[in-house]
Amino acid sequence: MKNPTQNVNLSRRAFVINGALVMGFAMLPGIPRAFADTEVDTLGTTILAPDLPGSLRATPYLDAWIRIDAKDGITVYTGKVELGTGVKTALLQIAAERLEVSPGLIRFLTADTALTPNEGYTAGSHTIVDSGTALFNAAAQVRQLLLESAARQWQRSIDSLTTRDAVIYDTQGRSMTYAQAVVGVQLHRFASANSPFKPAGSFTLIGKSLPRLDIPAKVSGGAAYVQDMRLPDMLHARVIRPPRRGSQLLEIDEAALRQLPGEVKLVRNGSYLAVVATDEWLAVKAMREGYAKARWTEGNPLPDSTHIHQLLTELPARRYPVSAKGDLPQPLPRAYKARVTKQYLMHGSIGPSCAVAWFKDGTLTVWTHTQGVYPLRAGIAEMVGLPVAQVRCIHAEGSGCYGHNGADDAAADAALIAMAIPGKPIRVQWMREQENLWEPYSSAMLAEVEAGLDDSGRLRDWKYELWSTPHNERIVNAGRLLPAWLLANPFTPAPSVPIAQPEGDGDRNAVPLYEIPNLKVDMNFVLTMPFRTSAMRSLGAHINIFAIESTVDELAARATIDPVQFRLNHLSDPRARAVVERVAAEFRWPHKATGPGSGIGFAFARYKNIMGYCAIAVQLHVQRQTGQVMIDRVVAAVDVGQIVSPDGLLNQIQGGIVQSASWTLYERILYDASGMHSFDWSGYPIMRFPDLPQQVEVHMIDQPDQPFLGAAEIVQGPMAAALGNAINDATGKRLLDLPLARRGWQDALGS
Amino acid sequence: MITLDINGKTHELDIADDMPLLYALRNQVGLNGAKYGCGLGQCGACTVLVNDKPVFSCLTPCGALAGKSVRTVESLGSVDQPGPLQKAFIDEQAAQCGYCIAGMIVRAQALLEANPHPDDETIRRHMAPNLCRCGTHVRIFAAIKSVVAQGGKV
């Protein structure tokens, strides 16, 4: 093993990538300008122009976003990627709106390290906030420059000119295409802080539901995913992983592999093993033979899952104060106390990770469904020992990832194998059990809350303590790529650093938005665990909002105040109040469900306390004998600022409701000292059609001319909390250990 | 040599009997619709029709398909001329990442060919073998229902 200090980047860069925040938000109200000095944002980009909006801060040149010429027409670039949320179409709408051209006239390119801006990761509900805001401004500024060019050439005032579909017209019937007007315009210039204003009332694309560009191919068998790539003479690879983390390869019977029909190559580097064949099924057979014939050391022990939350409190941890105000009495008088737990979860992509790599003429090209082509490129370059300029990462869609799944690691696999077999494109497809056993998990977590009321029934005291392993083990060095651990000269992961507030890591949304005079929130950031954990949709917000909203319901009951009214009593932000009131009205809260085991539950959160608002009410019934939970009705209201695509937003909220219900009711990774048991869908059941909510209503509150706030993750926490509150209402039991409807859970209900 | 009848065309393939149909479809025949998801018959991403019944192509060995007809999502229509279910999925925008969608459409096709007027409960039960992780179920259900509402003709 190399000396860790050789590989572990303890420099400022590694620290600030993880530790510093979020510059995409300077335009939003409530974000202290003090953050503007930060050089690198949480998504991995360097800030060059702190006064510019969105991702223009990191990529200020207009021609990094938009190029216009006679040959290709209008090309628009984004450094973000399509993960299945529809952002490619939404970003195109924004660019087309502000260029004032039909979307069909734009050639739109997503993340590619050779072509597009570096926008770090496509994560954290940031895409429309970062890239959408950049394009919203850059496109308007480019159009303005083109108008100025035409006005100069015609010697007319800009106000007298109009544009339609990339053609500029004057009042005398003269016309000039954008490609003609761009001649003599220098687009390689910094964007300005201010852009031409266009009132939302005159938008023709923003706020309209443009059909997604990618869906027709996906319903008809078109080549839509990296899995569908077929390059000339492409070889198929499979990896052979150790039985568990820490296992070292003792030996492998290579002769057995040679007895397979057809040509199979074994790639071996330390404990790293892969097989490569001309035919995919042959590669699978060789992989199976390899698993059978490889002998390994035992590897790291696994803990017993029964005591995992106790273990979290005993392991080495760094304590991060998250928020403190007022004067919290100790101990809290007449406090409500709760201990809330969450198990390890997996992203559970339907398609296991895949990548294609090709080392040709000194350049390594990797097609990958990573969320961040630039950070991945740097990690791969370090791992294979190539200069960054000789590695190109191109995003190609994969199955939905919902965070840091196996995508980057599969890309690293493809890169390692392609370097071992130069000149041939290599396609690596992980098997289901490889994804389940080796993807970074969402951390098991523990939260302890103590909260109390004053004599008038208002929240007065709030103490919250959290234990979690990391939620952001993104690729800041080669050691963050799993295959790099297995090499003869292995790399060590960079030290873990939590994403700072207000974005938050395990502590995302750990601070209630409610007005509470005395409050203390702390996070214990646990540094050593048997499982690698990283980002999964909403990070700690899922359990934190669940814990906060369960506690709020309990305190409302103590105060004998309706839980919705109780929330309103502690919310002054009018937009927060608006989503709460909208759901209450549409749901006809507290309209009770009828029938045995029926219950209703309510929840609210503003994502990260700075992004989208979401309130939700759930009606369900619990079948006590079987433990089955049937969700009868879900009513949600969301405010994500100016809505770009109403149908895209609706799709995200509907999907988030179902996914969060699955996490909250059913999901946990099964393991014990003998090993991991969630290696397939029978060991990790997720929601299927029969348990689908019967009715889902989503109300969208548009905010014309207001900043984009992001949408994709805002419902995960509120849906979990509303389910918990509804189950409490249905059964009279306050369940605080997720998942709520796990196997045998009816025991928890009592008789 | 193995002879496969796929989407109405006969293919003579020099492959092993034990090769799952999924691999032959994707690599030997060059079709993208059937997807690898689990290789275990637990997720339905690889669903195709064999003699009009939905099967997991990841578990079906090519050697067991002599004399049987295989249909994939490609047989139901194209981008330019989508079939009724494909059109309904586009109209409802019933996809997020879309990786499961071809399997969903094929499984729904099997249902509607046998029963053009299924009730809601029947649709849910029938679709249970197919997993979606994005939570697009609400829209998938709506897309199937919209075809049923138009007479269920697929």
Side-chain angles (χ1 to χ4, degrees), chain A residues 513-524:
Chain A
L513 197 66
Y514 304 110
E515 286 148 18
I516 307 170
N518 307 310
L519 173 142
K520 191 168 187 310
V521 177
D522 297 294
M523 174 171 67
N524 299 283

Side-chain angles (χ1 to χ4, degrees), chain B residues 103-121:
Chain B
M104 293 283 182
I105 290 174
V106 171
R107 185 165 299 278
Q109 177 81 15
L111 173 65
L112 298 187
E113 284 181 5
N115 172 11
H117 305 291
D119 61 18
D120 290 4
E121 191 53 34

Side-chain angles (χ1 to χ4, degrees), chain A residues 670-745:
Chain A
L670 300 173
Y671 60 92
D672 56 30
S674 72
M676 301 291 299
H677 306 303
S678 291
F679 46 79
D680 65 9
W681 293 117
S682 70
Y684 193 81
I686 64 172
M687 183 172 273
R688 289 180 185 267
F689 270 94
D691 294 320
L692 188 65
Q694 296 283 333
Q695 193 184 337
V696 177
E697 299 168 34
V698 179
H699 303 277
M700 297 174 281
I701 300 176
D702 194 17
Q703 300 286 358
D705 295 323
Q706 292 298 306
F708 308 130
L709 296 182
E713 298 167 329
I714 64 174
V715 74
Q716 305 307 107
M719 179 61 186
L723 282 170
N725 289 339
I727 289 173
N728 178 68
D729 186 48
T731 65
K733 300 277 180 189
R734 174 58 65 184
L735 302 181
L736 295 171
D737 298 309
L738 301 174
L740 301 176
R742 62 198 176 279
R743 196 178 302 166
W745 79 296

Side-chain angles (χ1 to χ4, degrees), chain A residues 424-488:
Chain A
K424 296 274 192 183
I426 305 291
R427 177 183 182 273
V428 180
Q429 168 71 67
W430 281 16
M431 307 303 284
R432 167 53 51 198
E433 60 275 17
Q434 292 171 337
E435 185 79 28
N436 283 24
L437 296 179
W438 293 98
E439 67 143 282
Y441 299 143
S442 170
S443 178
M445 293 172 70
L446 165 67
E448 288 182 352
V449 58
E450 282 182 62
L453 300 167
D454 66 16
D455 292 338
S456 68
R458 283 188 65 85
L459 288 166
R460 188 185 63 193
D461 307 315
W462 190 278
K463 184 169 181 292
Y464 189 83
E465 183 142 10
L466 191 62
W467 286 263
S468 179
T469 63
H471 291 257
N472 190 36
E473 295 290 282
R474 297 286 193 179
I475 313 308
V476 299
N477 74 345
R480 291 279 181 91
L481 293 165
L482 179 152
W485 306 349
L486 304 172
L487 301 175

Side-chain angles (χ1 to χ4, degrees), chain A residues 212 225 228 654 667 688, chain B residues 26 42 96-97 133 139:
Chain A
R212 266 176 49 183
Y225 304 92
D228 302 330
Q654 290 170 330
E667 295 183 28
R688 289 180 185 267
Chain B
R26 293 189 61 83
Q42 295 176 343
Q96 286 194 32
C97 81
R133 185 54 161 167
R139 287 171 176 236

